[in-house]
Protein backbone atom coordinates (compact mmCIF):
# COMPACT_ATOMS: atom_id res chain seq x y z
CA UNK A 1 0.00 0.00 0.00
CA UNK A 2 0.96 3.58 -0.53
CA UNK A 3 3.82 5.12 -2.44
CA UNK A 4 6.79 2.73 -2.25
CA UNK A 5 5.14 0.98 0.65
CA UNK A 6 5.08 4.22 2.64
CA UNK A 7 8.71 3.58 3.52
CA UNK A 8 9.91 7.15 2.81
CA UNK A 9 9.49 10.27 4.86
CA UNK A 10 10.32 13.93 5.15
CA UNK A 11 12.71 14.08 8.07
CA UNK A 12 13.36 17.81 8.28
CA UNK A 13 12.39 21.16 6.80
CA UNK A 14 14.02 24.57 6.69
CA UNK A 15 13.98 28.00 5.14
CA UNK A 16 15.64 31.40 5.04
CA UNK A 17 14.06 34.69 5.93
CA UNK A 18 11.74 36.08 3.24
CA UNK A 19 12.82 39.43 1.79
CA UNK A 20 12.58 41.58 -1.29
CA UNK A 21 16.30 42.15 -1.44
CA UNK A 22 18.38 39.45 0.20
CA UNK A 23 21.78 40.88 -0.70
CA UNK A 24 22.93 37.27 -0.93
CA UNK A 25 23.49 34.86 -3.80
CA UNK A 26 21.08 32.00 -4.50
CA UNK A 27 23.89 29.70 -3.38
CA UNK A 28 24.12 31.40 0.01
CA UNK A 29 20.34 31.27 0.37
CA UNK A 30 20.43 27.55 -0.48
CA UNK A 31 23.12 26.96 2.12
CA UNK A 32 21.07 28.73 4.80
CA UNK A 33 17.89 26.80 4.03
CA UNK A 34 19.87 23.55 3.93
CA UNK A 35 21.47 24.27 7.29
CA UNK A 36 18.06 25.06 8.76
CA UNK A 37 16.62 21.78 7.45
CA UNK A 38 19.65 19.79 8.61
CA UNK A 39 19.37 21.26 12.10
CA UNK A 40 15.66 20.48 12.13
CA UNK A 41 16.38 16.83 11.26
CA UNK A 42 19.45 16.57 13.47
CA UNK A 43 21.78 15.77 10.59
CA UNK A 44 25.16 17.09 9.44
CA UNK A 45 25.90 17.77 5.74
CA UNK A 46 28.13 14.70 5.46
CA UNK A 47 25.06 12.54 6.12
CA UNK A 48 23.29 13.86 3.01
CA UNK A 49 24.30 12.06 -0.18
CA UNK A 50 21.66 13.32 -2.62
CA UNK A 51 20.63 16.79 -3.83
CA UNK A 52 17.56 17.67 -5.89
CA UNK A 53 16.49 21.12 -6.99
CA UNK A 54 14.73 23.06 -9.71
CA UNK A 55 15.33 26.41 -11.32
CA UNK A 56 14.52 28.73 -14.20
CA UNK A 57 18.10 29.78 -14.83
CA UNK A 58 17.99 31.64 -11.52
CA UNK A 59 19.48 29.39 -8.85
CA UNK A 60 22.44 27.32 -7.64
CA UNK A 61 22.50 23.65 -8.55
CA UNK A 62 23.08 20.67 -6.28
CA UNK A 63 26.70 20.25 -7.24
CA UNK A 64 27.52 23.72 -5.99
CA UNK A 65 25.37 23.45 -2.89
CA UNK A 66 26.91 20.10 -1.95
CA UNK A 67 30.36 21.52 -2.43
CA UNK A 68 29.57 24.59 -0.35
CA UNK A 69 28.23 22.43 2.46
CA UNK A 70 31.11 19.98 2.35
CA UNK A 71 28.84 17.05 1.56
CA UNK A 72 29.92 14.06 -0.51
CA UNK A 73 26.90 13.41 -2.70
CA UNK A 74 26.41 10.33 -4.85
CA UNK A 75 23.48 11.86 -6.66
CA UNK A 76 22.38 15.32 -7.79
CA UNK A 77 19.75 16.31 -10.35
CA UNK A 78 17.41 19.07 -11.43
CA UNK A 79 13.74 18.56 -12.19
CA UNK A 80 11.89 20.37 -14.99
CA UNK A 81 8.44 20.95 -13.58
CA UNK A 82 8.14 24.67 -12.90
CA UNK A 83 5.78 25.31 -10.02
CA UNK A 84 4.98 21.63 -9.65
CA UNK A 85 8.54 20.68 -8.89
CA UNK A 86 8.57 20.62 -5.09
CA UNK A 87 6.42 17.49 -4.98
CA UNK A 88 8.31 16.01 -7.94
CA UNK A 89 11.51 16.37 -5.92
CA UNK A 90 10.19 14.49 -2.92
CA UNK A 91 8.79 11.69 -5.08
CA UNK A 92 12.01 11.50 -7.10
CA UNK A 93 14.14 11.53 -3.94
CA UNK A 94 12.25 8.54 -2.55
CA UNK A 95 12.59 6.73 -5.87
CA UNK A 96 16.33 7.43 -6.01
CA UNK A 97 16.78 6.08 -2.50
CA UNK A 98 14.67 3.03 -3.29
CA UNK A 99 16.89 2.42 -6.32
CA UNK A 100 19.99 2.57 -4.15
CA UNK A 101 21.45 5.69 -5.72
CA UNK A 102 21.67 7.46 -2.39
CA UNK A 103 20.17 7.32 1.09
CA UNK A 104 19.28 10.83 2.24
CA UNK A 105 18.29 13.63 -0.14
CA UNK A 106 18.12 17.37 0.36
CA UNK A 107 15.39 18.91 -1.83
CA UNK A 108 15.45 22.67 -2.20
CA UNK A 109 14.53 25.78 -4.18
CA UNK A 110 16.65 28.92 -3.86
CA UNK A 111 16.06 32.14 -5.77
CA UNK A 112 16.23 35.90 -5.62
CA UNK A 113 12.72 36.11 -7.01
CA UNK A 114 12.42 39.85 -6.46
CA UNK A 115 15.89 41.37 -6.56
CA UNK A 116 17.24 38.90 -9.12
CA UNK A 117 15.54 37.51 -12.16
CA UNK A 118 11.84 38.33 -11.84
CA UNK A 119 9.31 36.18 -13.60
CA UNK A 120 7.82 38.06 -16.52
CA UNK A 121 10.76 40.39 -17.02
CA UNK A 122 13.18 37.78 -18.30
CA UNK A 123 13.03 39.13 -21.83
CA UNK A 124 14.60 42.36 -20.68
CA UNK A 125 17.82 40.78 -19.43
CA UNK A 126 18.50 38.80 -22.55
CA UNK A 127 16.80 35.64 -21.33
CA UNK A 128 13.97 34.35 -23.44
CA UNK A 129 11.31 31.85 -22.56
CA UNK A 130 11.93 30.65 -26.09
CA UNK A 131 14.71 28.64 -24.50
CA UNK A 132 12.12 26.75 -22.46
CA UNK A 133 8.85 26.97 -24.38
CA UNK A 134 8.99 26.62 -28.16
CA UNK A 135 5.76 28.60 -28.49
CA UNK A 136 6.95 31.57 -26.46
CA UNK A 137 7.43 33.89 -29.46
CA UNK A 138 3.77 33.71 -30.36
CA UNK A 139 2.94 35.23 -26.98
CA UNK A 140 5.86 37.51 -26.19
CA UNK A 141 5.56 39.38 -29.48
CA UNK A 142 1.91 40.09 -28.70
CA UNK A 143 2.68 41.47 -25.23
CA UNK A 144 2.10 38.36 -23.13
CA UNK A 145 5.34 37.98 -21.22
CA UNK A 146 4.40 37.22 -17.61
CA UNK A 147 2.80 34.27 -15.83
CA UNK A 148 -0.08 36.51 -14.70
CA UNK A 149 -0.87 37.41 -18.29
CA UNK A 150 -0.89 33.74 -19.25
CA UNK A 151 -2.99 32.50 -16.34
CA UNK A 152 -5.50 35.32 -16.69
CA UNK A 153 -6.44 33.82 -20.07
CA UNK A 154 -7.48 30.63 -18.29
CA UNK A 155 -9.18 32.46 -15.43
CA UNK A 156 -11.27 34.53 -17.83
CA UNK A 157 -12.45 31.42 -19.61
CA UNK A 158 -13.33 29.76 -16.29
CA UNK A 159 -15.40 32.81 -15.34
CA UNK A 160 -17.17 32.59 -18.69
CA UNK A 161 -17.93 28.87 -18.44
CA UNK A 162 -18.82 28.62 -14.76
CA UNK A 163 -19.73 32.09 -13.54
CA UNK A 164 -16.73 32.32 -11.24
CA UNK A 165 -16.64 35.82 -9.73
CA UNK A 166 -14.03 38.37 -8.80
CA UNK A 167 -15.22 38.18 -5.20
CA UNK A 168 -14.55 34.44 -5.16
CA UNK A 169 -10.98 35.05 -6.29
CA UNK A 170 -10.81 37.68 -3.57
CA UNK A 171 -11.98 35.19 -0.94
CA UNK A 172 -8.80 33.18 -1.55
CA UNK A 173 -6.60 36.26 -1.22
CA UNK A 174 -8.31 37.32 2.01
CA UNK A 175 -8.13 33.86 3.56
CA UNK A 176 -4.43 33.38 2.94
CA UNK A 177 -3.74 36.90 4.16
CA UNK A 178 -5.58 36.03 7.37
CA UNK A 179 -3.28 33.01 7.73
CA UNK A 180 -0.24 35.22 7.18
CA UNK A 181 -1.47 37.31 10.08
CA UNK A 182 -0.81 34.27 12.29
CA UNK A 183 2.70 33.75 10.90
CA UNK A 184 5.20 36.35 12.13
CA UNK A 185 7.68 35.33 9.41
CA UNK A 186 5.24 35.90 6.55
CA UNK A 187 6.02 38.82 4.24
CA UNK A 188 2.43 40.04 4.64
CA UNK A 189 2.26 39.56 8.41
CA UNK A 190 0.54 42.53 10.01
CA UNK A 191 -0.97 43.62 6.68
CA UNK A 192 -4.66 42.66 6.95
CA UNK A 193 -6.70 42.70 3.76
CA UNK A 194 -10.41 43.45 3.37
CA UNK A 195 -12.67 42.80 0.40
CA UNK A 196 -12.84 46.56 -0.09
CA UNK A 197 -9.04 46.65 -0.30
CA UNK A 198 -9.09 43.74 -2.71
CA UNK A 199 -11.70 45.18 -5.04
CA UNK A 200 -9.94 48.55 -5.05
CA UNK A 201 -6.49 47.16 -5.76
CA UNK A 202 -4.49 48.17 -8.83
CA UNK A 203 -5.42 46.05 -11.84
CA UNK A 204 -2.56 44.00 -13.26
CA UNK A 205 -4.13 42.07 -16.10
CA UNK A 206 -7.90 41.67 -16.13
CA UNK A 207 -9.35 39.71 -14.45
CA UNK A 208 -6.40 39.80 -11.99
CA UNK A 209 -5.70 42.64 -9.60
CA UNK A 210 -2.57 42.97 -7.47
CA UNK A 211 -3.82 40.66 -4.74
CA UNK A 212 -4.59 37.83 -7.16
CA UNK A 213 -0.88 37.53 -7.83
CA UNK A 214 1.66 35.81 -5.62
CA UNK A 215 4.49 37.64 -3.94
CA UNK A 216 7.95 37.91 -5.38
CA UNK A 217 10.48 36.76 -2.82
CA UNK A 218 14.19 36.38 -2.25
CA UNK A 219 14.69 33.22 -0.24
CA UNK A 220 15.14 29.48 -0.14
CA UNK A 221 13.30 26.52 1.32
CA UNK A 222 14.38 22.92 1.76
CA UNK A 223 13.26 19.53 2.99
CA UNK A 224 15.10 16.29 3.64
CA UNK A 225 13.85 12.93 2.40
CA UNK A 226 15.05 9.62 3.79
CA UNK A 227 13.65 6.24 4.76
CA UNK A 228 11.10 6.10 7.53
CA UNK A 229 13.44 3.72 9.37
CA UNK A 230 16.26 6.24 9.28
CA UNK A 231 13.96 9.18 10.01
CA UNK A 232 12.73 7.51 13.18
CA UNK A 233 16.25 7.79 14.62
CA UNK A 234 16.38 11.51 13.89
CA UNK A 235 15.19 14.54 15.78
CA UNK A 236 11.72 15.07 14.30
CA UNK A 237 8.58 13.02 13.90
CA UNK A 238 8.81 11.57 10.38
CA UNK A 239 6.13 12.66 7.93
CA UNK A 240 5.56 9.75 5.56
CA UNK A 241 4.88 9.98 1.85
CA UNK A 242 1.57 8.12 1.60
CA UNK A 243 0.96 8.94 -2.04
CA UNK A 244 2.84 10.63 -4.86
CA UNK A 245 1.80 11.21 -8.44
CA UNK A 246 3.06 13.35 -11.28
CA UNK A 247 2.09 14.56 -14.74
CA UNK A 248 4.65 15.96 -17.17
CA UNK A 249 3.14 17.44 -20.26
CA UNK A 250 0.70 15.36 -22.21
CA UNK A 251 -1.24 15.41 -25.41
CA UNK A 252 -0.61 19.10 -25.94
CA UNK A 253 1.96 20.97 -23.88
CA UNK A 254 0.63 24.04 -25.67
CA UNK A 255 -2.32 23.81 -23.33
CA UNK A 256 -4.29 26.58 -24.99
CA UNK A 257 -4.95 24.06 -27.72
CA UNK A 258 -6.60 21.54 -25.42
CA UNK A 259 -10.34 21.03 -25.91
CA UNK A 260 -10.80 22.36 -22.36
CA UNK A 261 -8.28 24.88 -20.99
CA UNK A 262 -9.82 25.31 -17.54
CA UNK A 263 -8.58 22.07 -16.02
CA UNK A 264 -5.49 21.62 -13.88
CA UNK A 265 -3.26 18.65 -14.64
CA UNK A 266 -4.27 17.47 -11.18
CA UNK A 267 -7.33 15.84 -12.67
CA UNK A 268 -5.02 13.39 -14.44
CA UNK A 269 -3.15 12.35 -11.34
CA UNK A 270 -5.63 12.77 -8.48
CA UNK A 271 -7.32 9.37 -8.93
CA UNK A 272 -3.92 7.61 -8.88
CA UNK A 273 -2.77 9.67 -5.92
CA UNK A 274 -5.73 8.95 -3.68
CA UNK A 275 -6.08 5.32 -4.75
CA UNK A 276 -2.49 4.41 -3.95
CA UNK A 277 -2.86 5.89 -0.49
CA UNK A 278 -6.28 4.36 0.10
CA UNK A 279 -7.63 7.83 0.84
CA UNK A 280 -10.26 10.20 -0.49
CA UNK A 281 -10.29 13.99 -0.74
CA UNK A 282 -12.55 14.11 2.30
CA UNK A 283 -9.76 12.50 4.37
CA UNK A 284 -7.42 15.47 3.87
CA UNK A 285 -7.04 17.50 7.07
CA UNK A 286 -4.67 20.19 5.80
CA UNK A 287 -3.62 21.24 2.31
CA UNK A 288 -0.94 23.21 0.56
CA UNK A 289 -2.34 24.14 -2.83
CA UNK A 290 -0.15 25.87 -5.37
CA UNK A 291 -1.17 29.50 -5.36
CA UNK A 292 0.83 31.44 -7.90
CA UNK A 293 -2.56 33.10 -8.39
CA UNK A 294 -5.81 33.02 -6.44
CA UNK A 295 -7.38 31.36 -9.44
CA UNK A 296 -5.09 28.32 -9.48
CA UNK A 297 -6.42 27.36 -6.06
CA UNK A 298 -9.99 27.26 -7.36
CA UNK A 299 -9.35 24.93 -10.24
CA UNK A 300 -7.14 22.61 -8.24
CA UNK A 301 -9.87 22.27 -5.61
CA UNK A 302 -12.11 21.15 -8.46
CA UNK A 303 -9.63 18.85 -10.12
CA UNK A 304 -8.39 17.16 -6.95
CA UNK A 305 -12.00 16.31 -6.17
CA UNK A 306 -12.90 18.62 -3.30
CA UNK A 307 -15.87 19.91 -5.27
CA UNK A 308 -17.50 19.50 -8.66
CA UNK A 309 -15.94 21.03 -11.76
CA UNK A 310 -16.82 24.70 -11.91
CA UNK A 311 -17.67 24.98 -8.22
CA UNK A 312 -14.26 26.00 -6.93
CA UNK A 313 -15.47 29.57 -6.57
CA UNK A 314 -18.41 28.56 -4.40
CA UNK A 315 -16.19 26.20 -2.39
CA UNK A 316 -13.86 28.94 -1.17
CA UNK A 317 -16.74 31.00 0.15
CA UNK A 318 -17.87 30.48 3.74
CA UNK A 319 -14.28 30.27 5.02
CA UNK A 320 -13.81 26.64 4.01
CA UNK A 321 -10.05 27.21 3.62
CA UNK A 322 -9.66 28.67 7.13
CA UNK A 323 -7.92 26.92 10.01
CA UNK A 324 -11.24 25.78 11.39
CA UNK A 325 -12.79 25.18 7.97
CA UNK A 326 -13.50 22.04 5.98
CA UNK A 327 -10.10 22.22 4.25
CA UNK A 328 -7.50 24.37 6.03
CA UNK A 329 -5.28 25.51 3.18
CA UNK A 330 -1.96 27.36 2.86
CA UNK A 331 -2.01 27.94 6.59
CA UNK A 332 1.26 29.92 6.69
CA UNK A 333 -0.14 32.40 4.17
CA UNK A 334 0.76 30.63 0.95
CA UNK A 335 2.63 32.15 -1.93
CA UNK A 336 0.05 34.92 -2.01
CA UNK A 337 0.89 36.16 1.49
CA UNK A 338 3.77 34.23 3.10
CA UNK A 339 6.45 34.02 0.40
CA UNK A 340 6.95 32.77 -3.11
CA UNK A 341 9.46 29.97 -3.31
CA UNK A 342 8.01 28.29 -6.37
CA UNK A 343 5.96 25.96 -4.16
CA UNK A 344 8.38 24.66 -1.55
CA UNK A 345 7.13 26.83 1.32
CA UNK A 346 3.61 25.42 1.01
CA UNK A 347 4.95 21.85 1.21
CA UNK A 348 7.01 22.68 4.28
CA UNK A 349 3.98 24.15 6.05
CA UNK A 350 1.97 20.95 5.50
CA UNK A 351 4.83 18.97 7.08
CA UNK A 352 4.86 21.26 10.11
CA UNK A 353 1.11 20.99 10.57
CA UNK A 354 1.26 17.19 10.43
CA UNK A 355 4.10 17.12 12.97
CA UNK A 356 2.07 19.31 15.28
CA UNK A 357 4.77 21.98 15.39
CA UNK A 358 2.20 24.64 16.27
CA UNK A 359 0.34 22.78 19.02
CA UNK A 360 -0.60 25.25 21.72
CA UNK A 361 -0.70 28.20 19.32
CA UNK A 362 -3.39 29.70 17.11
CA UNK A 363 -1.64 28.29 14.03
CA UNK A 364 -2.22 24.56 14.56
CA UNK A 365 -4.86 22.71 12.54
CA UNK A 366 -6.58 20.42 15.04
CA UNK A 367 -5.99 16.70 14.58
CA UNK A 368 -4.08 17.09 11.33
CA UNK A 369 -3.25 13.54 10.27
CA UNK A 370 -3.43 13.60 6.46
CA UNK A 371 -1.95 16.39 4.37
CA UNK A 372 -2.06 17.17 0.66
CA UNK A 373 0.54 19.24 -1.14
CA UNK A 374 -0.06 20.11 -4.78
CA UNK A 375 2.23 21.67 -7.34
CA UNK A 376 1.07 23.42 -10.45
CA UNK A 377 3.13 23.90 -13.57
CA UNK A 378 0.26 24.56 -15.98
CA UNK A 379 -2.77 22.67 -17.23
CA UNK A 380 -0.60 19.72 -18.28
CA UNK A 381 2.11 19.72 -15.62
CA UNK A 382 1.50 18.86 -11.99
CA UNK A 383 2.60 16.78 -9.07
CA UNK A 384 1.13 16.09 -5.67
CA UNK A 385 1.88 14.33 -2.41
CA UNK A 386 -0.29 12.87 0.29
CA UNK A 387 1.53 12.99 3.60
CA UNK A 388 0.91 11.57 7.04
CA UNK A 389 2.61 11.89 10.41
CA UNK A 390 4.24 8.74 11.78
CA UNK A 391 4.39 8.84 15.53
CA UNK B 1 12.26 46.87 -26.39
CA UNK B 2 9.49 44.78 -27.85
CA UNK B 3 10.30 41.08 -27.81
CA UNK B 4 11.16 39.82 -31.28
CA UNK B 5 10.12 36.42 -32.51
CA UNK B 6 12.93 33.92 -32.55
CA UNK B 7 11.94 31.90 -35.60
CA UNK B 8 13.33 28.41 -35.90
CA UNK B 9 13.02 25.91 -38.73
CA UNK B 10 9.69 24.73 -37.30
CA UNK B 11 8.13 28.19 -37.03
CA UNK B 12 9.76 30.14 -39.88
CA UNK B 13 6.94 29.49 -42.40
CA UNK B 14 4.42 31.04 -39.99
CA UNK B 15 6.43 34.26 -39.75
CA UNK B 16 7.16 34.28 -43.47
CA UNK B 17 3.40 34.08 -44.03
CA UNK B 18 2.81 37.06 -41.76
CA UNK B 19 5.32 39.06 -43.80
CA UNK B 20 3.13 38.41 -46.85
CA UNK B 21 -0.04 39.13 -44.86
CA UNK B 22 -1.05 35.49 -44.97
CA UNK B 23 -2.05 33.34 -42.02
CA UNK B 24 -0.63 29.87 -42.56
CA UNK B 25 -0.63 26.75 -40.41
CA UNK B 26 0.68 23.24 -40.74
CA UNK B 27 -1.91 20.76 -41.94
CA UNK B 28 -1.29 17.02 -41.84
CA UNK B 29 -1.26 15.32 -45.25
CA UNK B 30 -2.47 12.05 -43.78
CA UNK B 31 -5.43 13.12 -41.64
CA UNK B 32 -5.85 16.79 -42.62
CA UNK B 33 -5.68 18.01 -39.02
CA UNK B 34 -4.36 21.53 -38.51
CA UNK B 35 -1.86 22.03 -35.75
CA UNK B 36 -0.52 24.87 -33.64
CA UNK B 37 2.11 25.51 -32.43
CA UNK B 38 4.30 24.31 -35.26
CA UNK B 39 6.13 21.05 -34.82
CA UNK B 40 7.55 18.01 -36.57
CA UNK B 41 4.68 15.53 -36.14
CA UNK B 42 0.90 15.59 -36.31
CA UNK B 43 -0.43 15.36 -32.74
CA UNK B 44 -3.48 13.48 -33.99
CA UNK B 45 -1.94 10.70 -36.09
CA UNK B 46 1.81 11.04 -35.77
CA UNK B 47 2.47 11.62 -39.47
CA UNK B 48 5.25 13.99 -40.47
CA UNK B 49 4.19 15.08 -43.96
CA UNK B 50 2.29 18.34 -44.03
CA UNK B 51 1.49 21.51 -45.97
CA UNK B 52 1.53 25.08 -44.72
CA UNK B 53 -2.03 25.91 -45.64
CA UNK B 54 -3.35 29.44 -45.79
CA UNK B 55 -6.58 30.17 -43.92
CA UNK B 56 -9.00 33.05 -44.25
CA UNK B 57 -8.33 34.26 -40.72
CA UNK B 58 -11.80 34.61 -39.30
CA UNK B 59 -12.74 33.21 -35.94
CA UNK B 60 -14.00 34.06 -32.51
CA UNK B 61 -12.50 35.06 -29.21
CA UNK B 62 -12.13 32.03 -26.94
CA UNK B 63 -10.65 33.97 -24.04
CA UNK B 64 -8.87 37.29 -23.57
CA UNK B 65 -7.01 39.44 -21.10
CA UNK B 66 -6.65 43.17 -20.67
CA UNK B 67 -3.07 44.01 -19.78
CA UNK B 68 -3.11 46.98 -17.41
CA UNK B 69 0.50 46.81 -16.23
CA UNK B 70 3.15 45.76 -18.72
CA UNK B 71 5.89 43.48 -17.45
CA UNK B 72 8.06 44.03 -20.50
CA UNK B 73 9.20 47.60 -21.00
CA UNK B 74 8.50 47.36 -24.73
CA UNK B 75 4.77 47.33 -24.03
CA UNK B 76 4.62 49.92 -21.26
CA UNK B 77 3.38 52.68 -23.56
CA UNK B 78 0.61 50.50 -24.94
CA UNK B 79 -1.43 49.64 -21.84
CA UNK B 80 -4.25 48.93 -21.61
CA UNK B 81 -4.18 46.42 -24.44
CA UNK B 82 -6.15 43.29 -25.19
CA UNK B 83 -4.65 39.94 -26.10
CA UNK B 84 -7.08 37.22 -27.05
CA UNK B 85 -6.94 33.53 -27.69
CA UNK B 86 -8.65 33.38 -31.09
CA UNK B 87 -10.28 30.14 -32.21
CA UNK B 88 -9.97 30.07 -35.98
CA UNK B 89 -12.59 28.98 -38.47
CA UNK B 90 -11.66 26.33 -41.07
CA UNK B 91 -8.97 24.85 -38.84
CA UNK B 92 -10.85 22.43 -36.63
CA UNK B 93 -10.53 24.85 -33.75
CA UNK B 94 -6.88 25.76 -33.36
CA UNK B 95 -6.33 28.78 -31.13
CA UNK B 96 -3.65 31.43 -31.42
CA UNK B 97 -2.79 34.38 -29.19
CA UNK B 98 -3.05 37.82 -30.78
CA UNK B 99 -3.83 41.43 -30.05
CA UNK B 100 -7.35 42.74 -30.57
CA UNK B 101 -7.13 46.20 -32.12
CA UNK B 102 -9.48 48.88 -33.44
CA UNK B 103 -11.92 48.06 -30.66
CA UNK B 104 -12.50 49.73 -27.27
CA UNK B 105 -11.12 47.52 -24.49
CA UNK B 106 -14.47 47.40 -22.72
CA UNK B 107 -16.25 46.12 -25.84
CA UNK B 108 -14.26 42.88 -26.14
CA UNK B 109 -16.10 39.71 -25.14
CA UNK B 110 -15.76 35.94 -25.39
CA UNK B 111 -17.35 34.62 -28.61
CA UNK B 112 -16.84 37.96 -30.36
CA UNK B 113 -16.37 37.42 -34.11
CA UNK B 114 -13.00 38.69 -35.34
CA UNK B 115 -10.87 38.66 -38.45
CA UNK B 116 -7.15 38.79 -38.95
CA UNK B 117 -5.14 41.79 -40.05
CA UNK B 118 -1.40 42.34 -40.09
CA UNK B 119 0.64 44.95 -38.34
CA UNK B 120 4.28 45.64 -39.15
CA UNK B 121 5.89 46.46 -35.82
CA UNK B 122 9.33 46.93 -37.38
CA UNK B 123 11.04 46.52 -40.73
CA UNK B 124 11.55 42.87 -39.92
CA UNK B 125 8.51 41.85 -37.91
CA UNK B 126 4.89 41.62 -38.96
CA UNK B 127 2.37 40.28 -36.47
CA UNK B 128 -1.14 38.95 -36.89
CA UNK B 129 -3.73 41.06 -35.04
CA UNK B 130 -7.50 40.78 -34.97
CA UNK B 131 -10.33 43.26 -35.38
CA UNK B 132 -14.04 42.81 -34.74
CA UNK B 133 -16.16 41.80 -37.71
CA UNK B 134 -18.82 44.45 -37.96
CA UNK B 135 -22.34 43.27 -38.53
CA UNK B 136 -23.43 45.82 -41.14
ZN1 LIG C 1 -2.40 13.63 -38.91
Amino acid sequence: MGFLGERYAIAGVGETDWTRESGRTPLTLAVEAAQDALADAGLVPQEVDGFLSYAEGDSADGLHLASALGAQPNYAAEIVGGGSSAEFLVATAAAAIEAGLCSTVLCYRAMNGRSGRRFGTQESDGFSFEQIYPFSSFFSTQGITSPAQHYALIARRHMHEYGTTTEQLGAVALQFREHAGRNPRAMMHGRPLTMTDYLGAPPIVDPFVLFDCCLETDGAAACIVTSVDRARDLRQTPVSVLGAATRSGGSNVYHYGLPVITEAAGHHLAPRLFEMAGLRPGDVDVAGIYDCFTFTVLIQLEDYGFCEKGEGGAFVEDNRLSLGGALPCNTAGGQLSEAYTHGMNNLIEVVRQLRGDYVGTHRQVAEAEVGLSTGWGGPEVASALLLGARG
Amino acid sequence: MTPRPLPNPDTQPFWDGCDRHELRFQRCDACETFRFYPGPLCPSCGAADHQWQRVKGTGEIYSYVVVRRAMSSGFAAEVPYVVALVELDETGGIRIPARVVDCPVADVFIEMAVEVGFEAVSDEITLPVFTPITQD
Side-chain angles (χ1 to χ4, degrees), chain A residues 200-291:
Chain A
I204 302 297
V205 49
D206 300 356
F208 292 159
V209 299
L210 179 65
F211 299 121
D212 289 305
C213 305
C214 65
L215 303 167
E216 295 173 291
T217 307
D218 289 6
C223 69
I224 295 171
V225 178
T226 192
S227 68
V228 169
D229 287 344
R230 171 134 177 72
R232 281 211 179 93
D233 296 334
L234 300 177
R235 186 170 161 262
Q236 291 286 359
T237 303
V239 170
S240 296
V241 182
L242 309 177
T246 62
R247 169 89 174 176
S248 293
S251 57
N252 197 342
V253 73
Y254 172 74
H255 47 75
Y256 301 104
L258 293 169
V260 176
I261 68 167
T262 50
E263 287 177 330
H267 82 277
H268 290 292
L269 60 85
R272 271 186 281 146
L273 177 75
F274 284 105
E275 189 186 342
M276 82 168 66
L279 295 168
R280 297 179 310 152
D283 296 321
V284 175
D285 300 310
V286 59
I289 296 188
Y290 195 80
D291 56 336

